Amino acid sequence: MADEQFEGLACQRLTLSCGDTVLVALQGAHVLSWVSQGRERLYLSPDNLWDGKSAIRGGVPVCFPQFNQRGTLPKHGFARNMAWQAGEAVASGDAAHIAFTLSNNPDTLATWQQAFVAVLRVALAPGQLTLTLTINNTEAQNELHFTGALHTYLAVDDIDLTELRGLGGRPEWDAVADVHGLADEVLYFDGEFDRVYTRDESAASNPLHLQDGTSTLQIEQSPSWANSVVWNPGEAKCVALADMPAHGFARMLCVEAAQVFEPISISAGGQWVGWQRLTVS
């Protein structure tokens, strides 16, 4: 593990002997970079403000305790804008991991009267990145309710040549057209794409595969997340995003492990765990 500054933000970096590396900012426990087999696998916008307060566009934002604007909190909750505490990195063979922790504090209690401890474990292995979010309800009596996501921005060479497989037949809500249906086996991306997929118990363990030219990335998530979200702003909407370059949409696709519609409930003193795993194949 190494302390590092990136665009003025305090970060931690894990590096393996094979050359794979992951860079995580203390702001939001935000994964900024994952390089595997010599290629950057995450998209990070070059037009971020990097002021330590604004949400970071790209990488893997931790959305907690609210998904998007489905509640009274700031968009995607407060966790991505707050300073997390880094633990000690642990190396084991050819792998390594580090955990980041955020607990309730006066700033969180000002908008969300809930005692909690959130932990993001970032685990790096050759060709693989696993992010595990653990939410502990430290209340003595009250339940904790939340929605959220690991809002992963994957790097692609050209969105027009990108395909996503593995969601075929799953319930799909197209948020752009506001229509419900069943997902096609292969998803293509031409214009704004914003769809939420509900976990199908019969196919819950089936991974997704992102085909990007000659590269394939396998995407898995724990069944504790009810949804998967696939998002690309498209050209027209991308121009309107102040923290994205005009053609940034062509270089990214979000594939998120998420809880969108129904909040997760954690009993007093209880715990919830959800993960997303990315594997170069």
Side-chain angles (χ1 to χ4, degrees):
M1 181 180 79
D3 295 335
E4 190 171 318
Q5 291 278 319
F6 180 84
E7 298 288 354
L9 298 184
C11 299
Q12 297 288 332
R13 183 183 293 277
L14 297 177
T15 303
L16 304 182
S17 59
C18 66
D20 284 14
T21 181
V22 63
L23 181 68
V24 188
L26 297 190
Q27 179 188 334
H30 196 123
V31 179
L32 301 176
S33 169
W34 170 43
V35 174
S36 182
Q37 297 181 8
R39 176 180 172 177
E40 176 59 66
R41 303 289 171 170
L42 301 177
Y43 174 83
L44 186 65
S45 173
D47 290 356
N48 278 297
L49 291 178
W50 304 116
D51 59 4
K53 300 175 294 186
S54 302
I56 299 168
R57 173 79 67 183
V60 187
V62 176
C63 302
F64 173 84
Q66 177 181 294
F67 183 83
N68 207 330
Q69 294 169 304
R70 293 175 171 268
T72 59
L73 296 175
K75 184 177 182 180
H76 286 317
F78 50 69
R80 63 181 181 160
N81 292 326
M82 292 195 162
W84 294 51
Q85 299 298 313
E88 292 296 321
V90 178
S92 177
D94 59 356
H97 68 266
I98 183 173
F100 299 83
T101 302
L102 176 70
S103 304
N104 58 278
N105 58 63
D107 289 333
T108 70
L109 292 170
T111 57
W112 197 52
Q113 289 72 48
Q114 175 72 52
F116 72 93
V117 176
V119 180
L120 184 74
R121 183 180 188 269
V122 178
L124 186 65
Q128 187 174 87
L129 177 68
T130 304
L131 305 179
T132 304
L133 180 64
T134 300
I135 306 298
N136 299 282
N137 180 2
T138 54
E139 294 276 355
Q141 295 181 324
N142 299 325
E143 285 192 339
L144 183 155
H145 305 281
F146 77 96
T147 56
L150 296 173
H151 197 310
T152 306
Y153 286 71
L154 300 171
V156 301
D157 285 338
D158 187 344
I159 193 64
D160 289 338
L161 303 178
T162 298
E163 302 176 358
L164 184 66
R165 301 174 182 269
L167 289 165
R170 285 172 57 173
E172 173 189 77
W173 175 53
D174 183 339
V176 178
D178 193 17
V179 296
H180 293 265
L182 296 178
D184 293 332
E185 179 53 37
V186 183
L187 303 183
Y188 304 96
F189 308 98
D190 180 16
E192 184 181 359
F193 194 102
D194 188 358
R195 301 184 188 181
V196 181
Y197 301 88
T198 301
R199 188 178 70 244
D200 184 336
E201 294 297 341
S202 65
S205 61
N206 288 352
L208 309 182
H209 291 94
L210 181 69
Q211 184 73 40
D212 167 36
T214 59
S215 177
T216 302
L217 190 70
Q218 179 175 283
I219 306 164
E220 302 167 273
Q221 68 183 58
S222 62
S224 50
W225 298 103
N227 305 114
S228 300
V229 177
V230 181
W231 178 72
N232 181 284
E235 185 171 13
K237 190 167 186 176
C238 191
V239 170
L241 297 175
D243 55 0
M244 278 277 277
H247 293 285
F249 74 95
R251 299 290 180 258
M252 53 73 60
L253 181 70
C254 284
V255 182
E256 311 165 36
Q259 192 77 22
V260 178
F261 303 117
E262 296 295 329
I264 291 167
S265 297
I266 308 174
S267 60
Q271 182 183 84
W272 174 90
V273 180
W275 52 263
Q276 184 186 54
R277 180 177 297 121
L278 309 173
T279 307
V280 180
S281 57

